[in-house]
């Protein structure tokens, strides 16, 4: 008897950097998501398939059993809440950080010192709310879904809370990083019921991933 294992991944860095881990478990994805419009990708293992979902949807798919396991950033997990998800491994991939950035001509330090109310645009409202609350800074959060860097340039916000990887996007838009909130990497998340019901197939998979994590 074989049970199908469904792995949820998002296209881009997480997909690319998960491939070596899958390979370590003997799994090869048979189609390139950048070339195909397919959302369900077969692998060389008959009982393993990959589903392509939006990064923010990975925890939701795994939580509700649309996928047995998935790979998702710590940022996305915090925003989702992580409830009902077993999180056995930090895969140490897709590393970046969440930071506060402002226009180069905005005096962030004095704004904070003077206790001014800051308008902060972000996709990461939970992370931003917790961070500024801990600092005792009052903020009006403006929820955005992408291209946060535009907000300070158009006067929509004083600051942004966003992911920074190379720093190239900030630089290209004349923004500067003024605070580093947290380091981010991607984790393996597993549906708790699947972990019990499909243990025989999932455990070796998790162990193979664990053995292939790069320091
Ligand atoms: C991400 C992030 C930053 C950028 C950081 O955006 O939100 O904008 O990458 O990378 P860098 O420091 O290497 O320049 P992404 O391109 O994923 O698009 P989005 O914000 O519109 O979702
Ligand atoms: Mg961006």
């Amino acid at each position: 008897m074989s049970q199908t294992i469904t792995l949820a991944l998002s296209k881009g860095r997480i997909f690319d950097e998960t491939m070596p881990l899958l390979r370590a478990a003997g799994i090869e994805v048979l189609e390139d998501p950048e070339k195909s419009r397919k959302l369900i990708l077969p692998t060389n293992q008959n009982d393993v398939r990959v589903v392509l979902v939006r990064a923010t949807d990975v925890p939701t798919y795994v939580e509700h059993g649309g996928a047995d396991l998935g790979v998702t950033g710590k940022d996305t997990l915090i925003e989702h809440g992580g409830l009902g998800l077993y999180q056995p491994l930090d895969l140490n991939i897709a590393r970046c950080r969440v930071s506060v950035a402002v226009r180069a001509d905005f005096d962030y330090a004095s704004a904070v010192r003077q206790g001014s109310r800051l308008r902060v645009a972000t996709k990461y409202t939970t992370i931003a709310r917790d961070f500024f609350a801990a600092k005792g800074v009052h903020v009006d959060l403006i929820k955005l879904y992408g291209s946060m860097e535009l907000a300070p340039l158009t006067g929509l916000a004083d600051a942004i809370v966003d992911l920074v990887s190379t720093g190239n996007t900030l630089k290209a838009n004349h923004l500067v990083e003024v605070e580093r909130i947290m380091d981010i990497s991607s984790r393996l998340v597993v549906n708790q019921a699947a972990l019990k019901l499909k243990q025989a197939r999932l455990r070796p998979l998790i162990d193979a991933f664990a053995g292939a994590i790069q320091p």
Side-chain angles (χ1 to χ4, degrees), residues 122-182:
T122 188
K123 175 153 82 173
Y124 305 101
T125 48
T126 301
I127 294 173
R129 186 177 298 112
D130 291 353
F131 175 74
F132 287 110
K135 274 178 77 79
V137 173
H138 293 287
V139 291
D140 292 318
L141 292 178
I142 301 163
K143 170 89 183 184
L144 291 179
Y145 292 88
S147 302
M148 265 76 84
E149 293 85 357
L150 255 183
L153 305 179
T154 54
L156 180 66
D158 304 309
I160 60 171
V161 167
D162 193 10
L163 298 180
V164 180
S165 177
T166 60
N168 289 341
T169 311
L170 290 182
K171 210 174 293 162
N173 292 291
H174 311 289
L175 299 177
V176 289
E177 193 175 357
V178 286
E179 303 226 45
R180 210 176 160 125
I181 300 181
M182 65 175 72

Side-chain angles (χ1 to χ4, degrees), residues 29-180:
V29 179
L30 299 177
E31 271 180 76
D32 179 352
E34 301 301 335
K35 292 191 184 129
S36 153
R37 296 292 295 171
K38 274 194 195 165
L39 298 172
I40 300 181
L41 307 180
T43 74
N44 63 338
Q45 310 280 314
N46 280 331
D47 60 346
V48 181
R49 61 183 190 166
V50 169
V51 292
L52 294 175
V53 302
R54 277 292 184 95
T56 44
D57 292 336
V58 169
T60 309
Y61 266 82
V62 176
E63 176 191 359
H64 298 287
D68 299 302
L69 67 176
V71 176
T72 183
K74 182 181 171 189
D75 51 325
T76 307
L77 259 177
I78 292 175
E79 295 299 324
H80 168 269
L83 215 74
L85 295 173
Y86 175 57
Q87 302 177 29
L89 301 173
D90 181 344
L91 301 172
N92 207 23
I93 58 170
R95 290 168 58 107
C96 56
R97 55 192 185 269
V98 180
S99 293
V100 181
V102 298
R103 275 168 61 141
D105 60 1
F106 180 78
D107 191 347
Y108 175 77
S110 354
V112 167
R113 209 177 320 110
Q114 289 161 11
S116 321
R117 238 189 138 79
L118 281 181
R119 293 169 306 146
V120 177
T122 188
K123 175 153 82 173
Y124 305 101
T125 48
T126 301
I127 294 173
R129 186 177 298 112
D130 291 353
F131 175 74
F132 287 110
K135 274 178 77 79
V137 173
H138 293 287
V139 291
D140 292 318
L141 292 178
I142 301 163
K143 170 89 183 184
L144 291 179
Y145 292 88
S147 302
M148 265 76 84
E149 293 85 357
L150 255 183
L153 305 179
T154 54
L156 180 66
D158 304 309
I160 60 171
V161 167
D162 193 10
L163 298 180
V164 180
S165 177
T166 60
N168 289 341
T169 311
L170 290 182
K171 210 174 293 162
N173 292 291
H174 311 289
L175 299 177
V176 289
E177 193 175 357
V178 286
E179 303 226 45
R180 210 176 160 125

